[in-house]
C-alpha cells in the first residue's frame, strides 16, 4: 500500500541525493587521508632523503632539500662501523627485552587477579592501576631520580630496566584486564571442575586464549621501552650506558655541529624494529586494544 | 555413581536477597532429576552450589556420603555441561575431552581409551582433531558431554545445555542425552526452564519457584496430580486453563458455577473431596486436551458440555487450538483438526470433568 503511494519521482530524487552524499563523503575522506599522509610521512621521508646525502650536499643550500642528487650510503656505513652506535643499539635491545619480560609477567598476573579473582577492592585497584598511567613521566622523573640514586643505579641501563615498567605495566595491565574480562566466565568454571588450580587456569586456558591481547600489550611495552626519551635523558650520562634514543642525539651533535646525515640515518635505523614489529603484528595490536576498550 | 542429598540449602546474596530458600532434596543413585522453573526461580543457583561454583549460605550438600560444602569443585567428583558449551577454543576436541584427565595425571593410554570410548558413545570420532570453532552447535554440545563422560564422575550436572540450539536440534539432542544416560547410568541433575525437556528426560521432576521447591515427582504425577496452582500452570503445553468459579450444592451433589451462566456438575467420585469447600469461590482448572469437541467424549461418563465462540483458531496440523475469553480469562481448547471451526462460530465444547482440578484461590493449593 505505502509503496504504491510514493511517487516515482520522489524515489528517484532520494536515491540521487544518497549518491551525491556518498560522493561528498568519499571526497572528504580522501582529502583528509591525503593531508594525514602528508603530515605523517613527510618527516620520515625527509629523514630518508637527508640520510642518503653526503655532508657536502646537505650543507649546500642552493638545491631542493627534498631531493637527492648523489645518493650515498656513507652515513649508514659510518654508523654501523661506529662501536659507540652499536653499543647504543645493544643497550636498547637489553633494556627493551628485560622491560617487556618484566612488564608482561607482572601485568598478566595482575590482570588475571583483578579480572577473575574477585576480592575486596579489586575494582578500585583496577581503576587505580589505570590512573597511574595518566601521570606523565615528566612529573615522575624527579622523585624517581631520588629512588634510583638511592639504589645506586644512576647512569646504568639497569636503572632504566627498573623504572620503565612504571610506564608500561599500568597500560599493559589495563589491556589484559579488558581481554581477560572478555573471556566467558564458564571457561574458568569448566577448568575449575576439570581440576585446574588458578595457576593452571592462567597458563593453560587464559594465556593461550588471550594471546592476541598479550601480543598487543607486548607491542605496547616494546614501543614505550624502545622509544623512551625523558628517563634516559635524566638518568644516564655516559655513552656506554645510553640507549639509541639519546645516544644518537647526544653523540652526533657536538656543540653547534650537527652531523645531520648520520642523525637521520641513526634515527631511521632506530625506528626500524618498531616498524617491523607493527607491520607483522598490527592486527593483533588492534584486536587487543579493541577488546580492552569495549569489554574492559 | 552417587546419591546426592540437599539439606536446608539457602543461598543469600548481599543485601539479603534469597535466591534459594532452604530446600531439601534427595536424589537416588543412577537417577535423572530435572530442576525446572521460570527464570530467577533458583534452579541454576542450586545446581551451581552442588557444583561448588557458588558458596552455600547455609545448609548441607552431601555427594556420595560426604558433606562437600567446603570441598572445591575439582574434588567433588562431578562433571558439568554448560549452556554455552564452555569448550576451550584453543584446544582440539580430543584435548578438550582429555584436559580434565591430564590434570588428574591419568596415563596417556587410559586417556586415549576413555576419549575414544566417549567419542564412540556420542558419535564424534571423526571430529577429534577439530577445534571448537569448526563445529556446529550440536557437535559442540556433544563434545561438552564427551568432556563430562570421560571423567566418569559420580554426578553429571547439566545447566540448560540445549538452550542455545535450534528447535529441531534440541529435540534430537534431548534424545541423545537420554540415550547417554541409559548407557552410562550416572546420577544426573539437569536444569532447564523448558517443561517439555523436563517431562521427557526426567525420572523425577523438581519444580521450583521463587527459591522454593513447589513439587517433586515423576513427570506423569506432576501432570495429573499437581499440588499447587503454579505446578498445574507450569507443567503442560499449552498450559492449564484457569477460570474463577463458585462451588455450589450440598454434600450429595456439587455443581461448579462458571462465568456466563455455565454450570458443570462435579463427578460423584470427587464429591466427598470437594464437599468441605461447598459455597466457596474456587479456581476451576482444566487442561486444553480435556476441553475438546463433543465427538471425542461421546462414550465417556462425567462429560459436561457448554458452548463458546472461539476468537482465534490455530491449526497446528496434528491438532487445532481454539482460544476464547471468559470474563477476561483466556481459555484454550484442543480440537481434532478434522473438525472445521471458524473464528466467531459458536461450537459445543466437552469438558472431561474426571480431569478437572479445583484450586483454593487463597492458598493456591490444589484441593
Amino acid at each position: 500500500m505505502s509503496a504504491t503511494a510514493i511517487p516515482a519521482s520522489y524515489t528517484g530524487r532520494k536515491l540521487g541525493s544518497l549518491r551525491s552524499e556518498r560522493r561528498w563523503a568519499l571526497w572528504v575522506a580522501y582529502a583528509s587521508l591525503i593531508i594525514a599522509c602528508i603530515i605523517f610521512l613527510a618527516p620520515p621521508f625527509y629523514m630518508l632523503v637527508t640520510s642518503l646525502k653526503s655532508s657536502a650536499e646537505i650543507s649546500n643550500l642552493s638545491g631542493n632539500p627534498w631531493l637527492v642528487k648523489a645518493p650515498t650510503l656513507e652515513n649508514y656505513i659510518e654508523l654501523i662501523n661506529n662501536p659507540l652506535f652499536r653499543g647504543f643499539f645493544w643497550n636498547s635491545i637489553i633494556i627493551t627485552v628485560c622491560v617487556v619480560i618484566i612488564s608482561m609477567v607482572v601485568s598478566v598476573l595482575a590482570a588475571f587477579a583483578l579480572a577473575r579473582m574477585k576480592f575486596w577492592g579489586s575494582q578500585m585497584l583496577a581503576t587505580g592501576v589505570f590512573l597511574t598511567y595518566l601521570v606523565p613521566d615528566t612529573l615522575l622523573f624527579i622523585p624517581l631520580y631520588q629512588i634510583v640514586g638511592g639504589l645506586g643505579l644512576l647512569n646504568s641501563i639497569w636503572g632504566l630496566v627498573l623504572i620503565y615498567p612504571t610506564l608500561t605495566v599500568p597500560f599493559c595491565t589495563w589491556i589484559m584486564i579488558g581481554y581477560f574480562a572478555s573471556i566467558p566466565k564458564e571457561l574458568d568454571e569448566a577448568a575449575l571442575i576439570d581440576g585446574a588450580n588458578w595457576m593452571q587456569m592462567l597458563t593453560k586456558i587464559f594465556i593461550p586464549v588471550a594471546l592476541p591481547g598479550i601480543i598487543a600489550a607486548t607491542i605496547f611495552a616494546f614501543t614505550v621501552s624502545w622509544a623512551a626519551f625523558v628517563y634516559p635523558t635524566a638518568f644516564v650520562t655516559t655513552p656506554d650506558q645510553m640507549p639509541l634514543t639519546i645516544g644518537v642525539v647526544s653523540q652526533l651533535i657536538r656543540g653547534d655541529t650537527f652531523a645531520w646525515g648520520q642523525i637521520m640515518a641513526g634515527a631511521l635505523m632506530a625506528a626500524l624494529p618498531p616498524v617491523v614489529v607493527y607491520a607483522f603484528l598490527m592486527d593483533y595490536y588492534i584486536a587487543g586494544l579493541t577488546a580492552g576498550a569495549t569489554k574492559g | 555413581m552417587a546419591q546426592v542429598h540437599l539439606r536446608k540449602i539457602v543461598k543469600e546474596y548481599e543485601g539479603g536477597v534469597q535466591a534459594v530458600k532452604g530446600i531439601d532434596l534427595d536424589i537416588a543413585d543412577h537417577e535423572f532429576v530435572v530442576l525446572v522453573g521460570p527464570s530467577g526461580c533458583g534452579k541454576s543457583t542450586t545446581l551451581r552450589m552442588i557444583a561448588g561454583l557458588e558458596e552455600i549460605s547455609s545448609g548441607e550438600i552431601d555427594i556420595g556420603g560426604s558433606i562437600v560444602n567446603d570441598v572445591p569443585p575439582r574434588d567433588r567428583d562431578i562433571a558439568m555441561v554448560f549452556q554455552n558449551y564452555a569448550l576451550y577454543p584453543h584446544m582440539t576436541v580430543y584435548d578438550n575431552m582429555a584436559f580434565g584427565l591430564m590434570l588428574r595425571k591419568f596415563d596417556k593410554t587410559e586417556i586415549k581409551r576413555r576419549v575414544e570410548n566417549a567419542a564412540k558413545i556420542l558419535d564424534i570420532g571423526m571430529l577429534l582433531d577439530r577445534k571448537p570453532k569448526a563445529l556446529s552447535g550440536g557437535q559442540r554440545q556433544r563434545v561438552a558431554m564427551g568432556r563430562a563422560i570421560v571423567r566418569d564422575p559420580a554426578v553429571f550436572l547439566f545447566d540448560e545445555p540445549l538452550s542455545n540450539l535450534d528447535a529441531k536440534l534440541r529435540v534430537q539432542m534431548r534424545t541423545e542425552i537420554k540415550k547417554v544416560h541409559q548407557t552410562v547410568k550416572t546420577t544426573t541433575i539437569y536444569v532447564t526452564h523448558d517443561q517439555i525437556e523436563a517431562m521427557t528426560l526426567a525420572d523425577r521432576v523438581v519444580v521450583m519457584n521463587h527459591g522454593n521447591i513447589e513439587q517433586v515427582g515423576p513427570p506423569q504425577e506432576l501432570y495429573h496430580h499437581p499440588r499447587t496452582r503454579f505446578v498445574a500452570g507450569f507443567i503442560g503445553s499449552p498450559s492449564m486453563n484457569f477460570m474463577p468459579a463458585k462451588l455450589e450444592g450440598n454434600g450429595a451433589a456439587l455443581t461448579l458455577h462458571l462465568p456466563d451462566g455455565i454450570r458443570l456438575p462435579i463427578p460423584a467420585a470427587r464429591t466427598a473431596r470437594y464437599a468441605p469447600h461447598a459455597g466457596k469461590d474456587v479456581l476451576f482448572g482444566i487442561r486444553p486436551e480435556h476441553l475438546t469437541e463433543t465427538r471425542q467424549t461421546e462414550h465417556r461418563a462425567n462429560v459436561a458440555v457448554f458452548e463458546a465462540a472461539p476468537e482465534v483458531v490455530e491449526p497446528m496440523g496434528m491438532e487445532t487450538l481454539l482460544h476464547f475469553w471468559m470474563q477476561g480469562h483466556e481459555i484454550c481448547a484442543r480440537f481434532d483438526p478434522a473438525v472445521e471451526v471458524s473464528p466467531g462460530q459458536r461450537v459445543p465444547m466437552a469438558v472431561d470433568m474426571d480431569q478437572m482440578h479445583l484450586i483454593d484461590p487463597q492458598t493456591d493449593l490444589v484441593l
Side-chain angles (χ1 to χ4, degrees):
Chain A
M1 286 287 285
S2 59
T4 52
I6 298 171
S9 57
Y10 176 78
T11 311
R13 207 163 47 233
K14 190 74 186 163
L15 283 173
S17 88
L18 271 177
R19 266 204 299 271
S20 86
E21 267 179 35
R22 184 174 156 70
R23 207 166 31 240
W24 261 107
L26 281 175
W27 271 109
V28 172
Y30 276 117
S32 309
L33 280 172
I34 289 165
I35 293 167
C37 281
I38 291 169
I39 290 171
F40 286 108
L41 291 180
F45 177 72
Y46 190 77
M47 285 162 70
L48 179 68
V49 167
T50 311
S51 71
L52 294 172
K53 290 178 181 175
S54 62
S55 297
E57 192 179 337
I58 292 169
S59 52
N60 180 8
L61 298 177
S62 61
N64 185 340
W66 293 91
L67 299 172
V68 196
K69 280 182 193 156
T72 171
L73 290 174
E74 70 181 42
N75 293 317
Y76 291 93
I77 292 162
E78 274 177 40
L79 272 182
I80 289 166
N81 289 328
N82 182 345
L84 209 56
F85 183 79
R86 289 206 301 271
F88 300 153
F89 222 108
W90 187 236
N91 285 342
S92 279
I93 289 171
I94 293 172
I95 295 167
T96 303
V97 169
C98 292
V99 169
V100 165
I101 291 170
I102 293 169
S103 304
M104 291 321 297
V105 170
V106 174
S107 58
V108 165
L109 288 172
F112 182 65
L114 291 170
R116 278 307 209 256
M117 302 166 77
K118 293 292 173 204
F119 52 89
W120 188 85
S122 58
Q123 195 62 45
M124 207 165 60
L125 209 58
T127 312
V129 166
F130 186 66
L131 287 179
T132 59
Y133 176 69
L134 301 179
V135 181
D137 47 0
T138 43
L139 280 181
L140 284 176
F141 79 87
I142 296 169
L144 280 175
Y145 193 91
Q146 293 276 334
I147 296 168
V148 174
L151 292 169
L153 291 172
L154 279 177
N155 194 31
S156 161
I157 58 168
W158 302 113
L160 300 180
V161 168
L162 186 71
I163 56 169
Y164 280 4
T166 61
L167 300 172
T168 54
V169 166
F171 193 69
C172 290
T173 305
W174 193 252
I175 292 177
M176 291 315 302
I177 288 175
Y179 222 92
F180 284 157
S182 71
I183 295 173
K185 198 161 66 72
E186 285 82 356
L187 225 56
D188 28 319
E189 291 178 345
L192 273 180
I193 289 174
D194 266 342
N197 58 34
W198 287 103
M199 208 58 198
Q200 286 170 321
M201 199 193 295
L202 174 66
T203 54
K204 293 184 187 300
I205 307 292
F206 273 72
I207 290 179
V209 172
L211 208 57
I214 290 172
I215 292 172
T218 306
I219 295 171
F220 174 80
F222 169 83
T223 313
V224 167
S225 174
W226 188 266
F229 191 79
V230 174
Y231 286 166
T233 309
F235 300 142
V236 178
T237 47
T238 57
D240 65 314
Q241 298 295 314
M242 286 181 176
L244 265 173
T245 44
I246 59 161
V248 169
V249 175
S250 63
Q251 299 305 308
L252 299 177
I253 302 170
R254 297 281 177 209
D256 58 351
T257 311
F258 289 70
W260 282 121
Q262 286 189 19
I263 290 174
M264 297 301 176
L268 274 180
M269 280 197 278
L272 202 60
V275 168
V276 172
V277 167
Y278 276 89
F280 285 102
L281 301 173
M282 188 62 138
D283 290 345
Y284 286 107
Y285 191 58
I286 292 168
L289 289 182
T290 314
T294 57
K295 293 172 185 169
Chain B
M1 310 294 168
Q3 297 180 346
V4 179
H5 304 284
L6 310 185
R7 300 265 173 271
K8 303 266 174 291
I9 295 295
V10 174
K11 178 65 189 179
E12 188 171 311
Y13 289 106
E14 280 175 35
V17 179
Q18 281 198 339
V20 179
K21 300 172 181 170
I23 60 169
D24 290 291
L25 184 64
D26 294 310
I27 298 163
D29 199 5
H30 306 309
E31 197 177 17
F32 197 124
V33 165
V34 176
L35 308 184
V36 68
S39 295
C41 71
K43 56 189 189 300
S44 280
T45 310
T46 305
L47 190 82
R48 290 171 61 79
M49 286 193 286
I50 297 169
L53 299 172
E54 295 270 357
E55 279 184 28
I56 306 163
S57 303
S58 69
E60 274 182 355
I61 293 180
D62 175 328
I63 299 176
S66 310
I67 305 293
V68 296
N69 287 19
D70 300 317
V71 177
R74 65 170 177 268
D75 299 327
R76 292 192 179 198
D77 200 10
I78 47 140
M80 189 157 168
V81 178
F82 294 86
Q83 181 179 348
N84 66 356
Y85 326 122
L87 299 178
Y88 310 123
H90 58 295
M91 294 184 193
T92 62
V93 167
Y94 183 95
D95 290 338
N96 262 284
M97 289 165 73
F99 185 64
L101 301 177
M102 285 195 285
L103 291 175
R104 286 175 164 79
K105 309 253 186 284
F106 272 67
D107 179 54
K108 274 191 177 167
T109 46
E110 175 62 8
I111 294 176
K112 191 165 183 284
R113 189 190 67 76
R114 286 197 185 199
V115 171
E116 282 173 356
N117 183 43
K120 201 172 146 194
I121 291 172
L122 293 160
D123 196 20
I124 51 171
M126 62 296 183
L127 307 175
L128 290 176
D129 294 329
R130 290 205 204 160
K131 293 262 179 78
K133 67 178 175 196
L135 304 177
S136 67
Q139 288 170 333
R140 285 179 199 185
Q141 197 52 268
R142 277 166 207 256
V143 176
M145 281 164 60
R147 191 167 60 178
I149 291 171
V150 292
R151 293 257 320 279
D152 190 19
V155 183
F156 277 150
L157 305 175
F158 288 84
D159 189 6
E160 308 215 22
L162 307 183
S163 299
N164 283 6
L165 304 178
D166 63 54
K168 197 174 170 188
L169 204 52
R170 206 178 302 161
V171 175
Q172 195 187 328
M173 285 304 294
R174 210 165 65 198
T175 321
E176 290 282 334
I177 290 174
K178 191 147 192 170
K179 212 166 76 185
V180 167
H181 181 254
Q182 283 163 358
T183 311
V184 299
K185 295 190 170 57
T186 307
T187 309
T188 301
I189 307 173
Y190 185 107
V191 161
T192 180
H193 62 269
D194 183 345
Q195 55 92 24
I196 297 175
E197 254 173 56
M199 298 288 282
T200 49
L201 285 171
D203 294 327
R204 278 193 307 153
V205 179
V206 179
V207 182
M208 292 187 70
N209 189 27
H210 295 310
N212 292 308
I213 291 179
E214 290 267 341
Q215 191 173 350
V216 183
Q220 289 305 315
E221 185 186 309
L222 260 59
Y223 181 80
H224 291 293
H225 306 290
R227 258 187 240 145
T228 63
R229 180 186 177 176
F230 177 81
V231 176
F234 193 80
I235 301 292
S237 178
S239 57
M240 187 184 282
N241 299 302
F242 296 109
M243 292 167 248
K246 190 155 189 153
L247 194 59
E248 297 284 4
N250 51 37
L254 293 170
T255 311
L256 265 183
H257 288 225
L258 263 57
D260 301 338
I262 299 167
R263 304 278 184 272
L264 302 176
I266 301 284
R270 298 203 185 195
T271 312
R273 188 162 129 201
Y274 294 149
H277 305 281
K280 289 181 184 169
D281 287 326
V282 290
L283 269 182
F284 170 61
I286 190 82
R287 294 195 184 280
E289 48 272 41
H290 303 135
L291 185 58
T292 59
E293 76 277 6
T294 46
R295 201 180 60 191
Q296 276 195 42
T297 55
E298 270 169 8
H299 306 295
R300 269 189 230 162
N302 299 321
V303 171
V305 177
F306 66 88
E307 274 197 357
E311 290 181 35
V312 178
V313 177
E314 289 182 315
M316 311 286 281
M318 61 178 287
E319 66 197 13
T320 298
L321 299 179
L322 273 55
H323 298 268
F324 57 98
W325 275 260
M326 201 177 260
Q327 287 202 343
H329 294 265
E330 185 185 348
I331 310 296
C332 177
R334 207 172 212 164
F335 271 44
D336 188 311
V339 180
E340 285 188 16
V341 182
S342 315
Q345 175 193 345
R346 285 191 77 79
V347 285
M349 303 215 179
V351 188
D352 185 347
M353 295 300 283
D354 283 332
Q355 305 295 336
M356 63 168 280
H357 302 274
L358 283 190
I359 296 151
D360 183 341
Q362 306 296 322
T363 61
D364 274 346
L365 293 175
V366 176
L367 301 173

